[in-house]
Each structure stands twice: as structure tokens, then as C-alpha cells.
Amino acid sequence: ELRSELCPRQFPARRAAAVAVALLRYRRGGPARALRLRELRRARTEDIKDVGHKYYLELELEDVLDKDSTVNCTAEVLYHLGNQNIAPDVQFTLEGELKSTEEADHVFYTRIRSLEKELVAENIPDSHGHVPPELEPIHLLAWVASGYLVWQNSTENTEFQLAQVKHVKQVRRRDKYLQFDFVVLLHEMVSQ
Amino acid sequence: DQVLHIVPETFQQVQHLQLLHSTLLLDLWKPLMPEDIMAGEDLHIRVPAPLVQEVKDILDQHMISYRVLIPDVQELVDQSMPRERSSHKQVLEDYVYTQYHPMEEIYQWMTQIQNNYSELVTQHFLGTTFENRPMYYLQISKPSNKLKKIIWMDCGIHAREWISPAFCQWFVKEILQNYKSDPKIRRFLQNLDLYVLPVLNVDGYIYSWETDRLWRKNRSPYENGTCYGTDLNRNFNSSWGSVGVSFNCSSNVFCGSAPESEPETRAVAQFIRRKKSDIACFLTIHSYGQLILSPYGSTTKPPSNNEELIQVGNKAAAALTGKYGTSYKVGPPSLILYNNSGSSRDWAHMIGIPLSYTFELRDNGTYGFLLPANQIQPTCEETM
């Protein structure tokens, strides 16, 4: 097992960490929870013959809405050789429990359900970086969803971030689910 | 001033809150009357700034939980006011450095700065942009007999990085407002001249205000006017066109048709070349990423004075973190960011300027280029 230590400051490790956090955000995020990378503590890489490059990461994450709340996480990111159209494999394990957002989620759910007209908004944040407080959960949802897009489209040579939510439209449903259609702008750091 | 959101849980808590309201004369937003404060119901209350901490302490003491609904009432008020930008006459004392300003206001601001601080500041013409707009820099210089070394700082080479020109304006304000009272600044200006270019890519900046907030490049047309913009930070003559660029105009890292093909690049390069033996330090301000980048982007081979560059960079990063805990990383982009060529920082170092840095200001991606105006102050304070 030949794993070489990577400098966490340098970009190969950072890009892998960004992908892991993107998937994590998608899987665990919600209108009241958005997790972000606070620190990449350790990174190692392994070259798996005929398969690809695997990164072993130790991450410290923070909750955007509660910066004092941090959680440790280990993750493995495998970039497949050759075909750039396959999303990297990502596994992660969180140490400990995340704070429950049941109450805030419920408040959001009831608020949207009680709207008379379907929610529509654009340019979140606006040009001056401002997000109206009532749209903050929508902003977080878009960020969560963008985690999926980032994960699906990442390679070792990319680093995506959500730049702006261009447009959001609520889609009325007969059942109990809430549905939103988003148009998001992703910023690719490396080719920026 | 802040607005707090409280949901009292018990009748006792309701009473505490009513007492608090009447003794401190707080402003009830919801409900309208203190008699209508009820357990289990939303309470929104505005607390004047000087009382905020005291009120929070009292709430903590009584174990009443609260949430900050509006962290800065004045800011919201300002934002919701209709602002007549064109007809409103600007006064320097009223210039708000914690807001983003369009180019017209920045031009006016430069003139006013020169007028108000004429013993120290002169405004100079550097060149014209593609769309024929003037590029001005401010020279901050204490008149003296001896020849002084120069520190050059440019902002706004990339249109969408609004925090960058905001920083240049803040920096100038800080230096000039505190020159008389701060011995460090006085000594600084005794030995050094400051040249500050608040907006390098004027056309792009205006375009990001009027048309596309996320525009990056300048506005020169290519391919018969079907495609616009060169990435000015790929257009300098430092390993131009070798790595981290595109030769396709539609790319955000299009490096132009040749090194210094763009009028904005030429304006800066010609000036720096002329003055290079007097320039001690070249700084170019960008966002985002929270990085202090030293040469080079095109190769991992370290520059000749790498140790000095990293040492100075580390000192800067430590001072920065010391202010608000914001962490900055130091190193060449070829290691910590991405490979690129044709950057102004690399070029400045290659022509002989010993200390050359790109600062990537806040944040780390949460707001990215759309950094909220309420972060202008802390970002600028820590970067000073």
C-alpha cells in the first residue's frame, strides 16, 4: 500500500477536498444546514494502477449558520483514469452527530406551503452580495443542490464553486413535497 | 442597531421581557404593544447599538434564548433608500467606504481626494482603456529632497472582484485620514511613495455594474466583434501564452492576441517599466481565495529571492490573521492555486522588482465574487 503524504496547502489536495465536501453538502445539507470546509488537516494520495488516483483526506467542517459548530470527517476520493465523464467516487464518514435542524426545516416547510403564490426569485446573492433573510434557506438549498452538480462534474483539474443562483421557481405539487427549479451559475476556479 | 427574535417560553419570561422593554425603552416591532407579548408567540424587538451587549447579557442571565434577526438595521435602511446617483452631488466627508461604488463615483472620489489632500496627493493619467476611458492613479507622496522607493498597488484588474477597488479606496482613506495622527504612517511616507490605481479594468468594471455582474475580462472585441474580452492578468509578457490560458476569445482566460495586446496592459506595463528601478514592491489586489501569492504561476521553479518573498508573505498573513482570525495561505500559484502565465505579478518580478505579490482577498467561496458590502470593513481592516 503506497500512500504518499500531500501538502494540504497545495491544490491537488484542495481540489479533492472540495469534491468530498460538495457531495457531503448534497447528502446532509438542507434549508437550515450548509457545511463548508474549514480546514484540510491531512491528505494522502495513492496511485491505483489501471484504476486512478485516490485521495485520503482528514477534514474539519463548519456549519455556515453556526461557525462555532464544527465536525471532523474522513473522506476518500477516487478520480477514475481515462474517462473524464465519470464522477469521482466519494466516501465519507462523519465523526459524531450533526445538530438537528428539524425545527428550522419545519418552519421553512410551513412557510413555503402557506405562500399564496409560488415562490420566484433571482440573483441570489444580488450584485452587492446581499441575500434577503427570507431567501436565505432557498440560497442554502441551492448550495446543497450545487454540491451534486459539482461532484458529478469534477475532475482532478477542476475546482467548482457556486457563484450565484440566477433564478429559482417553485413548482406546485399535489403531494406533500416541495419542489424548486434552480438555475445556478458555477464558477470554475482553475479556468477562471 | 439590531433586531432580535425571541419566543418567550414561560409567563415569567414574558414578564422579564416586558420589564426590559419599559426600562430600556426598546423599540417593539412585533407585537406592537408590550401587553400583547405572549408565551409561544414571536417577539421582534429593536435594540439600539450601545445597548445590544447589555440586553444580550440580560437575556442570557434569564435563560431566554434569542436569534439575531437583523444584525445591522442602518444597512438595511441604506439599501432600501432610493439613491439618485447621477444628480446627487458627492461630498468627500459623506463618502461611504463600506459600500460598493460605480465608476462615476470613483472618478469623482479621486478628484475630491486630490483636492482635499493636495499637500500629499496628486492624480495622474496612466492611459486609456479600449472604450476610451481614462485610467488614473493616485500618487501619495510627502514632498522631500531625497528620492524615495515606490510601492505600487493596483486594484480591479478583474471586473467582478468588487472588493478589490473597495479595498484600494479604503486604503487611500486610511492612509490620508490617519497621516497626521499615526506615527507609523508618517514614517512610512517619510521613506516611501505610494502609487495606487483604484480601478485598472475600467471598462470591465462598468460592464459588471451595468450588464453582467460576473464579467472578468476587459471589453476589447475580437473575431469581428462577435466575442469580447481579454483576461488582463494573462496578457502580460511573463511566459505569455504558455500555461493556464486559452487562445479562444470566448474563454475567461483568453490571453489576448499577443503580450500587451490590450491598451490597459500597455498603460500599466509602460509606466512600471519606466519606473522599475525605483519600485520596491508591486502589489495587485484580487478576490477571492484568501491567498498571498508570490511568483510564479507558470513554473514551480522558485524565484531567486524566494525565501525573502515567502518570509515577508508569512509576516503579512500573520498580521492579517491577527485582526479577525481570517486565515490566508502564502505561496506561488503554481503550487497552491493553479498554473497560469502572463500575470502582472510574475511580469513585475521578472523585470526586476524584488517584492511582487497578488493578494486574493475574502472570502473562501461562500459568497465568492459577490462579497456582501458588510464585509468590506473587516476585509479592509485586516488587510491594512
Side-chain angles (χ1 to χ4, degrees), chain B residues 19-52:
Chain B
L19 190 61
L20 198 64
H21 166 261
S22 60
T23 35
L24 294 181
L25 300 175
L26 302 176
D27 177 11
L28 258 189
W29 283 19
K30 176 179 174 172
L32 290 175
M33 305 300 292
E35 308 88 71
D36 295 331
I37 299 177
M38 290 203 288
E41 297 287 329
D42 280 353
L43 169 68
H44 294 173
I45 192 159
R46 180 180 68 88
V47 183
L51 294 176
V52 165

Coordinates of all heavy atoms in Angstrom, one line a residue, chain B residues 19-52:
Chain B
L19 N -40.6 44.0 31.2 CA -39.8 44.9 32.1 C -38.6 45.5 31.4 O -38.3 46.7 31.4 CB -39.3 44.1 33.3 CG -38.7 44.9 34.5 CD1 -39.8 45.9 35.0 CD2 -38.2 44.0 35.6
L20 N -37.9 44.6 30.6 CA -36.8 45.1 29.8 C -37.2 46.2 28.8 O -36.5 47.2 28.7 CB -36.2 43.9 29.1 CG -34.8 43.9 28.5 CD1 -33.8 44.1 29.7 CD2 -34.5 42.7 27.7
H21 N -38.3 45.9 28.2 CA -38.8 46.9 27.2 C -39.1 48.2 27.8 O -38.7 49.3 27.3 CB -40.1 46.3 26.6 CG -40.8 47.3 25.8 ND1 -42.0 48.0 26.3 CD2 -40.6 47.8 24.5 CE1 -42.4 48.8 25.3 NE2 -41.6 48.7 24.3
S22 N -39.7 48.2 29.0 CA -40.1 49.5 29.6 C -38.9 50.2 30.3 O -38.8 51.4 30.2 CB -41.2 49.3 30.6 OG -40.8 48.5 31.7
T23 N -38.0 49.5 30.8 CA -36.9 50.2 31.5 C -35.9 50.7 30.5 O -35.3 51.8 30.6 CB -36.1 49.3 32.5 OG1 -36.1 47.9 32.0 CG2 -36.7 49.3 33.9
L24 N -35.6 49.9 29.4 CA -34.6 50.4 28.5 C -35.2 51.1 27.3 O -34.5 51.5 26.4 CB -33.8 49.2 28.0 CG -32.9 48.5 29.0 CD1 -32.1 47.4 28.4 CD2 -31.9 49.5 29.6
L25 N -36.5 51.3 27.3 CA -37.2 52.0 26.2 C -36.9 51.4 24.8 O -36.4 52.1 23.9 CB -36.9 53.5 26.2 CG -37.3 54.2 27.5 CD1 -36.8 55.6 27.5 CD2 -38.8 54.1 27.7
L26 N -37.0 50.1 24.7 CA -36.7 49.4 23.5 C -37.8 49.6 22.5 O -38.9 49.9 22.9 CB -36.3 47.9 23.7 CG -35.2 47.7 24.7 CD1 -35.0 46.2 24.9 CD2 -33.9 48.3 24.2
D27 N -37.5 49.3 21.2 CA -38.5 49.5 20.1 C -39.1 48.2 19.7 O -38.5 47.4 19.1 CB -37.7 50.2 19.0 CG -38.6 50.4 17.8 OD1 -39.8 50.3 17.9 OD2 -38.0 50.8 16.7
L28 N -40.4 48.0 20.1 CA -41.1 46.8 19.8 C -41.6 46.8 18.3 O -42.3 47.7 17.9 CB -42.3 46.6 20.7 CG -42.3 45.7 21.9 CD1 -43.7 45.6 22.5 CD2 -41.8 44.3 21.5
W29 N -41.1 45.8 17.6 CA -41.6 45.7 16.2 C -42.8 44.7 16.1 O -43.6 44.8 15.2 CB -40.5 45.2 15.3 CG -39.5 46.3 14.9 CD1 -39.3 47.5 15.6 CD2 -38.6 46.4 13.8 NE1 -38.3 48.3 15.0 CE2 -37.9 47.6 13.9 CE3 -38.3 45.5 12.8 CZ2 -36.9 47.9 13.0 CZ3 -37.3 45.8 11.9 CH2 -36.6 47.1 12.0
K30 N -42.7 43.7 17.0 CA -43.8 42.7 16.9 C -43.9 42.0 18.2 O -42.9 41.5 18.7 CB -43.5 41.7 15.8 CG -44.5 40.5 15.7 CD -44.0 39.6 14.5 CE -44.9 38.4 14.5 NZ -44.7 37.6 13.3
P31 N -45.0 42.0 19.0 CA -46.2 42.7 18.6 C -46.1 44.2 18.8 O -45.0 44.7 19.1 CB -47.2 42.1 19.6 CG -46.4 41.8 20.8 CD -45.0 41.4 20.3
L32 N -47.1 45.0 18.5 CA -47.0 46.4 18.6 C -47.0 46.9 20.1 O -46.4 47.9 20.4 CB -48.1 47.1 17.8 CG -47.9 46.9 16.3 CD1 -49.1 47.5 15.5 CD2 -46.6 47.6 15.8
M33 N -47.7 46.2 20.9 CA -47.9 46.7 22.3 C -47.3 45.7 23.2 O -47.5 44.5 23.1 CB -49.4 46.8 22.6 CG -50.2 47.7 21.6 SD -49.5 49.4 21.6 CE -49.9 49.9 23.3
P34 N -46.6 46.1 24.3 CA -46.0 45.2 25.2 C -47.0 44.3 25.9 O -46.7 43.1 26.2 CB -45.3 46.1 26.2 CG -45.9 47.5 26.0 CD -46.4 47.5 24.6
E35 N -48.2 44.7 26.0 CA -49.2 43.9 26.7 C -49.5 42.7 25.8 O -50.1 41.7 26.3 CB -50.6 44.6 26.9 CG -50.5 46.0 27.6 CD -50.2 47.1 26.6 OE1 -51.1 47.5 25.8 OE2 -49.0 47.6 26.6
D36 N -49.2 42.7 24.5 CA -49.5 41.6 23.6 C -48.4 40.6 23.6 O -48.5 39.6 22.8 CB -49.8 42.1 22.2 CG -51.1 43.0 22.2 OD1 -52.0 42.7 23.1 OD2 -51.2 43.9 21.4
I37 N -47.3 40.8 24.3 CA -46.2 39.8 24.3 C -46.8 38.6 25.0 O -47.3 38.6 26.2 CB -45.0 40.3 25.1 CG1 -44.4 41.6 24.4 CG2 -43.9 39.2 25.1 CD1 -43.3 42.2 25.1
M38 N -46.7 37.4 24.4 CA -47.2 36.2 24.9 C -46.3 35.0 24.8 O -45.5 35.0 23.8 CB -48.5 35.8 24.2 CG -49.6 36.8 24.6 SD -51.2 36.0 24.3 CE -51.3 36.0 22.5
A39 N -46.3 34.1 25.7 CA -45.5 32.9 25.6 C -45.9 32.1 24.4 O -47.1 32.0 24.0 CB -45.7 32.0 26.8
G40 N -44.9 31.7 23.7 CA -45.1 30.9 22.4 C -45.3 31.7 21.2 O -45.5 31.2 20.1
E41 N -45.3 33.0 21.3 CA -45.5 33.9 20.2 C -44.2 34.6 19.8 O -43.5 35.0 20.7 CB -46.6 35.0 20.5 CG -48.0 34.4 20.8 CD -48.6 33.8 19.5 OE1 -48.4 34.4 18.4 OE2 -49.4 32.8 19.6
D42 N -44.1 34.9 18.5 CA -42.9 35.6 18.1 C -42.8 37.0 18.7 O -43.8 37.8 18.7 CB -42.9 35.8 16.5 CG -42.5 34.6 15.8 OD1 -42.1 33.6 16.5 OD2 -42.7 34.6 14.6
L43 N -41.6 37.4 19.1 CA -41.3 38.7 19.6 C -40.2 39.3 18.7 O -39.1 38.6 18.6 CB -41.0 38.7 21.0 CG -40.4 40.0 21.7 CD1 -41.5 41.0 21.7 CD2 -39.9 39.7 23.1
H44 N -40.4 40.5 18.1 CA -39.3 41.1 17.4 C -39.0 42.4 18.0 O -39.9 43.3 18.1 CB -39.6 41.3 15.9 CG -39.8 40.1 15.1 ND1 -40.2 40.1 13.8 CD2 -39.6 38.8 15.4 CE1 -40.3 38.8 13.4 NE2 -39.9 38.0 14.3
I45 N -37.8 42.7 18.5 CA -37.5 43.9 19.2 C -36.2 44.5 18.7 O -35.2 43.8 18.5 CB -37.5 43.6 20.7 CG1 -37.5 44.9 21.6 CG2 -36.3 42.7 21.1 CD1 -38.0 44.6 23.0
R46 N -36.2 45.8 18.5 CA -35.0 46.5 18.0 C -34.3 47.1 19.2 O -34.8 47.7 20.1 CB -35.4 47.6 17.1 CG -34.2 48.4 16.5 CD -34.5 49.5 15.6 NE -35.2 50.6 16.2 CZ -34.6 51.6 16.8 NH1 -33.3 51.7 16.9 NH2 -35.4 52.6 17.4
V47 N -33.0 46.8 19.2 CA -32.1 47.3 20.3 C -31.1 48.2 19.8 O -30.4 47.9 18.9 CB -31.4 46.1 21.0 CG1 -30.6 46.5 22.2 CG2 -32.4 45.0 21.4
P48 N -31.1 49.5 20.3 CA -30.0 50.4 19.9 C -28.6 49.8 20.1 O -28.4 49.2 21.1 CB -30.3 51.6 20.7 CG -31.6 51.5 21.3 CD -31.9 50.0 21.4
A49 N -27.7 50.2 19.2 CA -26.4 49.6 19.2 C -25.7 49.6 20.6 O -25.1 48.6 21.0 CB -25.5 50.3 18.1
P50 N -25.7 50.8 21.3 CA -25.0 50.8 22.5 C -25.5 49.8 23.6 O -24.9 49.5 24.6 CB -25.1 52.2 23.0 CG -26.0 52.9 22.1 CD -26.2 52.1 20.9
L51 N -26.8 49.4 23.4 CA -27.4 48.5 24.4 C -27.4 47.1 24.1 O -27.8 46.2 24.9 CB -28.9 48.9 24.7 CG -29.1 50.3 25.3 CD1 -30.6 50.6 25.3 CD2 -28.5 50.4 26.7
V52 N -26.9 46.8 22.9 CA -27.0 45.4 22.4 C -26.4 44.4 23.3 O -27.0 43.4 23.7 CB -26.4 45.3 20.9 CG1 -26.2 43.8 20.6 CG2 -27.3 45.9 19.9

